[in-house]
Amino acid sequence: MIESREHQEAPVSADVSSALSELARISATAPVGTVAAELAALALNALPAVAVCLAVVERERVLHLEIIGGAPAFVLDERQYPPGFGPCLDAARDGQVVIIDDTTVGKYEQFRELIQRHGVRRVVSLPLPLPLPSPTARTGLGSLTIYGGEVRLRPGAHGDGQARVLASAASVVLADALRYNAAVLTAQQLEQAMRSRAAIEQAKGMIMFRDRCSADEAFAWLSSLSSTSNRKLRDIATMMVHEAST
Amino acid sequence: MDVHLRRLARIRALIADEPELPPLPGGANGAAGSRRSAGVGHFGGAPGSLERLCRAAARALTASGVGLSVMTGEGMHGVVAASDATSALVEELQFTVGEGPCVEAVASGRPVLASDLDQMVTQWPAYAPAARECGMRAVFAFPLQIGALRIGAMDIYSNRRGALSVAALNEAFAFAEIALLTVLDGQDQAPAGEAAAVLQDGLSARAELHQAQGLLSAHLRVDLAEAMIQLRAYAFSHDRPLLDVARDVVGRKLDLTPDGPDSDDDHGSANLTLDDR
């Protein structure tokens, strides 16, 4: 059952308020898994929930799945469910709110039975949107799913509103962490590429001395060795250079 | 936050408006053309965009010049772009002598604001006088960083003493941020194992330096680190740009072997030679 947008009237609860200020303490330079775990813990603490699931996705692939709270059996069951199925992942992938409760039929009916075994009466999965809309990205950052023990009498009761506020704020923190971690990876690739390039030129220099040839001829020698030995040119150069550095 | 985003947008427009010029002398052995990336990234990852950034920054900050250097871990470093030839030279100077505003900005993760180079002689005994000789009176270095990650720095040069205004500081920070994003974005688009297209001109300019390093290492039978030390020592003591020295070594016009015609043994200067180790 997909919920339509409702008008938010209730003020932010004290628990959520305090969680929002706690968000500032989460370091965006920590690994993404750590950030996801901290966000999930904050949400579990601030919202009426038996358990919380924070999913981080990238191009339809699940990067991290943090499930926190609830009985250990519940957590285990959630993980054993067929991959890709489940409100966590659907909300993340489709960018739509997913709500599962006693009235749910169809796609999530099986899921409803599973969670009720563990005293969960209602599941709300909120997508975590990208802070700035992107024409190229098809999904948001992930989703925040709240497994609640209480029954809501009508859809869009203000409890969901509190979760939405937290989800919005969590999106920003998550986006920062993803961006930072991606930048670290990129910088490592840059360093590696520069090192390779330097090694290729250094190897050429060594060959230029050995064979009394030009830079182009040295490169041709390396290329030829690369083809015949079926190794990447930069790997050959790196090895030559490494041997010369002892 | 809004102000910042608008500033970034305005600066990107400034950079886009900056005319394309051929690479600086000593650059790209024709490599720039063959390495032009197929797609243009979000920040215009075409080769030449970092030069345009430097020129736009020099214009916006009314500086004498702007230089950009990449310094990754393990000492991989070098000038990748500059607004003009003099700035490129002064930028390169830091790597010849191993000290200077960019080096320090990357090491500390904080901007280095030297409004009077004459006051920096104790801190940069080799760099400060040399930069002064090139006409620079003040230099302001901004690290290219995100969190604890630093990949280089942007240097702003002035031929007059004096601090940067608050407005200029804010502009400089924004230019540095865009430089960082341009490099990272460009790297994301590079084929596996290759450096970003925006860096290729700068890397090609350094190709001869690394060739000279390899050649000298084989010739002198020393390791690569030692070979680089020798090149830098020669460049510094003969007051020549490092890249020029490298070009001569590669062109076999310079022989740095001890007892060779160009060795420093008979100059009596305090350089490293094989015998001094």
Side-chain angles (χ1 to χ4, degrees), chain B residues 23-92:
Chain B
L24 293 174
N29 315 322
S34 59
R35 291 202 188 261
R36 231 158 260 280
S37 54
V40 175
H42 190 48
F43 286 92
S49 54
L50 289 176
E51 272 83 26
R52 278 189 284 124
L53 185 151
C54 288
R55 287 199 301 275
R59 212 187 285 276
L61 300 166
T62 51
S64 313
V66 172
L68 201 68
S69 295
V70 165
M71 294 185 67
T72 62
E74 304 230 352
M76 278 292 111
H77 51 52
V79 186
V80 296
S83 57
D84 57 281
T86 306
S87 297
L89 262 174
V90 184
E91 192 74 15
E92 180 68 50

Side-chain angles (χ1 to χ4, degrees), chain A residues 21 29 39-40 43 45 55 60-61 72 81 88 137 142 159 162 171 179 198-199 203 205:
Chain A
S21 15
T29 60
L39 289 173
N45 219 27
E60 316 230 337
R61 191 176 59 97
Y81 222 80
C88 262
Q162 306 292 332
S171 277
R179 190 177 23 216

Side-chain angles (χ1 to χ4, degrees), chain A residues 40 64 116 158 164 243:
Chain A
H64 293 279
Q116 277 167 352
H158 77 247
R164 281 173 191 274
E243 279 165 11

Side-chain angles (χ1 to χ4, degrees), chain A residues 29 180 183-184 186-187 189-191 193-195 197-198 201-202 204-206 208-209 212-213 215 234 241 244-245, chain B residues 72-74 146 148-149 184 187-188 192-195 199-200 204 207 210-211 213-215 218-219 223-224 250 252:
Chain A
T29 60
Y180 178 75
V184 169
T186 302
Q189 284 161 10
L190 172 61
E191 184 179 339
M194 286 177 68
R195 204 180 302 149
R197 182 70 188 270
E201 302 300 337
Q202 286 156 354
K204 278 159 72 174
M206 287 160 62
M208 285 160 76
F209 173 75
R212 305 222 184 295
C213 64
R234 57 177 176 261
V241 152
S245 294
Chain B
T72 62
E74 304 230 352
I146 169 172
L149 175 68
L184 289 179
Q187 185 61 40
D188 276 342
E194 282 185 38
L199 300 175
Q200 292 299 341
S204 297
H210 292 299
Q211 286 167 22
Q213 187 186 15
L215 200 157
H219 195 172
D223 67 22
L224 289 166
V250 161
R252 312 292 207 273

